[in-house]
Amino acid sequence: MIRTLAVTTDYAVIHDLPLEELSDPTIRWYWVDFYNPDEQEASNLRDHFHFHPLTIEDCFHFLQRPKIDHYHNVHFFVMHALNAKTLDAEEVDMYLGSNYIVTFHLHQSREIEDAWTRVSQQESLRNQGQIYAAYLILDNLVDQYFPSVYQIEDLLDDMENKMNAESIDVLMTQVFEIRSQLLQLRRTIVPMRDLLYRIISSDRIEQVREHLVFFTDIHDHLLKLSEMVDSNREITADIRDSFISLNANRMNNIMKTLTVITTIFMPLTFIAGLYGMNFTYMPELEWHWGYFAILAIMIGIGIGMFAWFQKKGWFK
């Protein structure tokens, strides 16, 4: 689907104007949106706009890393939207020219839809030109990252409250799931942060200079998001390490207990094995009190070793 939004010299809006009429002198600037176009519609990128072949190739080869490329008077952006359900990145491409923007996306984009509606309804936004429409798209994309990050923070808070109620295995499974989600978010947020840094640091886009404070604000949001993601990853790492340490400590206590029991029974097993041999000439076997004496010796050895281990602090 192709739709157009044209802003006239008196800042009126004309929707769905044919591509051929967008060059009319009365058009101040315009926005063309390609949503999941078929092959014939997509050919307009090449035949009508004459965009660079490499940018057209990037539009159809997902997923490119967020980036910005400069081609003469056209600036090509690759941006990432975030699927709130799966946390997968969805590519949104944008061309920025001297009096137009062209957006290209294969998935439904609420961010573009919101920016489109606001530009259509608010004359004050249209007055600031196509660069402000580009800012609105970027700002909406970044704003949609926050709910996913906040949701993960809520999950971490719930985990801390349930640490005494849930088993370690269940909590560890949740920790690794959250770490996987944070990794997905980081793969989207950090490249977008780098993209915004390039935009505000470059002198290639003169229009950005006039609206630098707006793009800097988006960069600040991405810095905050990346710090939140890194902070949450550290929290999950601390929880994971605590669980591992707790589990190791429990295992050490179990092994220590088993070792003490085994050590106590070693001399007892030796005595029982010695007198369990079926040799004929063993004087103690014919002694009337032999069984009771050996049994008393074995009990005494067991109690003595237990008291000695306890004195050394092996049971603490």
Side-chain angles (χ1 to χ4, degrees):
M1 180 182 71
I2 300 178
R3 58 178 177 171
T4 62
L5 183 156
V7 179
T8 63
T9 53
D10 57 355
Y11 300 106
V13 175
I14 303 176
H15 287 285
D16 299 325
L17 198 65
L19 296 180
E20 294 76 15
E21 299 181 19
L22 293 175
S23 57
D24 190 286
T26 61
I27 303 300
R28 186 179 184 88
W29 67 273
Y30 59 89
W31 178 357
V32 181
D33 181 46
F34 289 79
Y35 167 45
N36 195 21
D38 57 31
E39 184 175 348
Q40 181 179 359
E41 292 172 334
S43 65
N44 286 291
L45 296 174
R46 179 188 66 252
D47 300 333
H48 180 80
F49 292 101
H50 306 292
F51 291 140
H52 196 282
L54 289 178
T55 65
I56 299 175
E57 182 179 341
D58 286 343
C59 288
F60 289 95
H61 289 79
F62 292 130
L63 277 165
Q64 300 291 323
R65 183 180 177 87
K67 64 177 182 177
I68 176 173
D69 293 327
H70 307 283
Y71 298 93
H72 302 293
N73 294 325
V74 179
H75 311 282
F76 176 67
F77 300 80
V78 175
M79 304 171 293
H80 281 180
L82 191 66
N83 188 312
K85 295 182 179 179
T86 64
L87 299 184
D88 292 331
E90 297 177 350
E91 187 173 315
V92 176
D93 303 309
M94 180 173 68
Y95 294 88
L96 177 64
S98 57
N99 68 331
Y100 65 86
I101 61 169
V102 175
T103 50
F104 185 99
H105 51 105
L106 298 183
H107 302 88
Q108 180 68 36
S109 175
R110 292 182 301 168
E111 298 83 5
I112 288 181
E113 194 66 36
D114 178 72
W116 185 279
T117 302
R118 292 179 62 185
V119 170
S120 300
Q121 296 178 352
Q122 300 181 36
E123 183 177 347
S124 59
L125 301 183
R126 299 194 296 270
N127 295 354
Q128 301 186 59
Q130 72 281 4
I131 187 62
Y132 198 81
Y135 155 73
L136 287 177
I137 295 171
L138 272 167
D139 187 51
N140 288 341
L141 289 173
V142 173
D143 284 346
Q144 292 304 314
Y145 299 164
F146 280 97
S148 298
V149 177
Y150 288 144
Q151 183 178 8
I152 290 179
E153 286 193 336
D154 292 340
L155 289 175
L156 287 174
D157 291 338
D158 290 339
M159 282 187 59
E160 293 180 355
N161 296 330
K162 296 178 180 178
M163 286 183 65
N164 296 326
E166 297 284 354
S167 67
I168 291 181
D169 292 337
V170 173
L171 291 174
M172 285 293 286
T173 300
Q174 294 177 356
V175 166
F176 284 110
E177 288 178 355
I178 291 176
R179 285 183 63 83
S180 177
Q181 293 173 357
L182 288 171
L183 181 60
Q184 283 184 281
L185 288 172
R186 194 174 189 278
R187 288 173 177 170
T188 300
I189 293 171
V190 172
M192 285 291 286
R193 180 193 66 190
D194 297 339
L195 169 63
L196 262 295
Y197 179 78
R198 287 192 60 190
I199 292 174
I200 63 179
S201 301
S202 175
D203 294 327
R204 300 288 296 272
I205 311 177
E206 297 180 359
Q207 303 167 69
V208 171
R209 300 292 97 194
E210 302 173 3
H211 297 80
L212 186 60
V213 63
F214 295 104
F215 289 92
T216 303
D217 181 66
I218 300 177
H219 184 251
D220 291 341
H221 289 170
L222 287 165
L223 286 175
K224 179 181 178 181
L225 284 165
S226 60
E227 290 173 357
M228 292 171 65
V229 169
D230 291 340
S231 175
N232 289 331
R233 280 174 59 84
E234 291 178 4
I235 292 174
T236 57
D238 291 341
I239 295 175
R240 179 196 59 191
D241 294 342
S242 297
F243 287 159
I244 292 175
S245 298
L246 179 62
N247 197 34
N249 184 59
R250 291 179 58 191
M251 184 60 66
N252 287 338
N253 289 333
I254 293 172
M255 293 301 298
K256 183 172 64 176
T257 302
L258 293 177
T259 301
V260 169
I261 294 173
T262 302
T263 304
I264 291 174
F265 274 90
M266 283 177 62
L268 307 184
T269 303
F270 170 76
I271 295 173
L274 179 65
Y275 287 100
M277 294 185 294
N278 296 320
F279 290 109
T280 302
Y281 300 103
M282 295 184 69
E284 293 85 352
L285 295 179
E286 298 180 0
W287 183 34
H288 180 73
W289 299 102
Y291 169 76
F292 300 101
I294 293 299
L295 192 62
I297 291 172
M298 292 173 70
I299 293 174
I301 291 174
I303 294 174
M305 293 184 69
F306 180 85
W308 183 50
F309 291 152
Q310 191 173 34
K311 183 178 180 181
K312 292 179 69 66
W314 285 23
F315 294 103
K316 294 181 180 178

